[in-house]
Amino acid sequence: MITVSASKKQILIGLSLSLVTVLLSSTVAAVGKHVSLQVHVSSIVMVQYGLSFLFALPSIMRAGRGSLVTARPGLHLVRGISGCGCFYLFYLALSHISLVEATLLRASAPLMVPLVIFAWFKQGVGRHAWPPLVIGFIGVVLVLKPGFAGFTPWHVLALLSALGLAVSMVSTRELMQSEPQNRILFYYFLISVIVSLPFFLFNYQPIPLSAWPGLVYMGVVIYLGFVLYTLAYRYISASVSAPISYFAVVFSGLLDWLIWDHIPDQLTFIGIVCVVCGGVLVLRSPPESETRS
């Protein structure tokens, strides 16, 4: 009988939770691509965050109004706007380009984190971080195919969604130093609902009944993903779990093939390899290239 140490069990549990989170997120992207053909993207974002906000309310109500007091309202605002913008741009791109390309371009967010930290905190990018950044961005260029027939503005929107995600990642790390998880989620969902509402009202169209199952699925699974993602950090560190996020490209590729019969071309495949390698190397880089702890 094979015995597993407690530390290895924790790592396995954490990695499993991270992998399930990535798989669920990939299905949300696939459903979002399908639903975007029926309703406007603003409706998708509004329903997604509206449901997530409702799910986050009970924990705040149990903790009382005092749990909402924060000394960092500006950082919550940055996190909410950047996270909401990330999803909005991602869903817009999904409605026009393949699932695997949109997912891969958004997955380039870790490559942008050192650059966001430099612009935000004036913290320099270490010399060791530049080679993986260059490798990753070469991959991005290959996926974008500038100058080739496959390049579209929608690819740029997917890349901008990665920038929004990078800002959200950095602001979340900063908030986690002083804020409890339930407060971070509450303000994130609340701000996202407020930001989404004007776009929803301006582009309002009746939502067909056939779209509601997909919309509800996305809202429920997005919230569940946040919960599992947080739970995973009880067992493993961010540096261990972060590379698992690149399995989203694998899952999205399979869904793209099974549902839309889309197979990435050779240039895109090489770009995927470069972005994944660059991102993993950046995530594995020494602490001096990361955000403040």
Side-chain angles (χ1 to χ4, degrees):
M1 182 177 179
I2 300 175
T3 58
V4 181
S5 66
S7 60
K8 287 186 177 180
K9 279 185 178 179
Q10 284 198 334
I11 292 174
L12 287 173
I13 293 172
L15 290 176
S16 299
L17 289 170
S18 297
L19 195 60
V20 170
T21 302
V22 171
L23 175 59
L24 290 175
S25 298
S26 299
T27 64
V28 166
V31 173
K33 183 174 178 63
H34 174 71
V35 173
S36 66
L37 301 176
Q38 300 176 274
V39 299
H40 194 271
V41 169
S42 58
S43 297
I44 298 175
V45 176
M46 185 65 194
V47 173
Q48 170 184 297
Y49 282 121
L51 288 175
S52 295
F53 177 72
L54 291 177
F55 291 139
L57 273 178
S59 64
I60 287 293
M61 294 176 68
R62 286 194 298 268
R65 286 184 297 178
S67 64
L68 294 177
V69 178
T70 177
R72 314 197 74 176
L75 199 55
H76 281 290
L77 186 63
V78 170
R79 201 248 175 165
I81 293 175
S82 60
C84 182
C86 166
F87 274 108
Y88 201 100
L89 294 172
F90 179 63
Y91 291 143
L92 274 175
L94 267 180
S95 60
H96 294 87
I97 63 177
S98 71
L99 177 62
V100 69
E101 287 178 328
T103 301
L104 185 277
L105 290 171
R106 187 179 67 166
S108 66
L111 298 173
M112 300 184 183
V113 166
L115 304 180
V116 170
I117 292 172
F118 172 74
W120 194 338
F121 304 112
K122 307 304 179 186
Q123 182 177 337
V125 180
R127 287 178 298 175
H128 54 271
W130 282 110
L133 285 175
V134 171
I135 292 171
F137 282 116
I138 287 174
V140 169
V141 171
L142 292 175
V143 175
L144 288 175
K145 303 180 185 67
F148 295 88
F151 174 75
T152 71
W154 306 110
H155 290 84
V156 178
L157 290 186
L159 190 61
L160 288 175
S161 77
L163 178 59
L165 179 56
V167 173
S168 179
M169 290 167 67
V170 173
S171 56
T172 300
R173 290 182 189 181
E174 288 292 303
L175 284 169
M176 288 181 70
Q177 296 178 26
S178 58
E179 301 280 83
Q181 184 66 28
N182 63 340
R183 185 187 300 159
I184 293 174
L185 287 179
F186 174 83
Y187 280 116
Y188 173 55
F189 295 136
L190 174 62
I191 292 169
S192 296
V193 168
I194 294 172
V195 171
S196 304
L197 185 59
F199 295 96
F200 172 73
L201 294 176
F202 181 78
N203 298 287
Y204 177 75
Q205 296 174 347
I207 299 175
L209 288 176
S210 59
W212 276 107
L215 291 172
V216 172
Y217 175 84
M218 293 174 70
V220 171
V221 174
I222 282 291
Y223 180 78
L224 180 60
F226 275 111
V227 172
L228 293 177
Y229 182 73
T230 303
L231 186 60
Y233 281 114
R234 295 184 183 179
Y235 299 95
I236 55 177
S237 65
S239 62
V240 174
S241 68
I244 297 295
S245 64
Y246 285 103
F247 274 92
V249 180
V250 177
F251 294 141
S252 296
L254 289 173
L255 291 169
D256 226 3
W257 172 58
L258 291 172
I259 301 173
W260 291 280
D261 198 28
H262 179 269
I263 300 176
D265 57 32
Q266 187 176 15
L267 208 58
T268 300
F269 182 78
I270 295 172
I272 289 172
V273 174
C274 289
V275 171
V276 172
C277 289
V280 171
L281 289 172
V282 165
L283 291 165
R284 293 291 189 177
S285 60
E288 66 206 57
S289 67
E290 297 174 359
T291 189
R292 298 173 298 177
S293 58

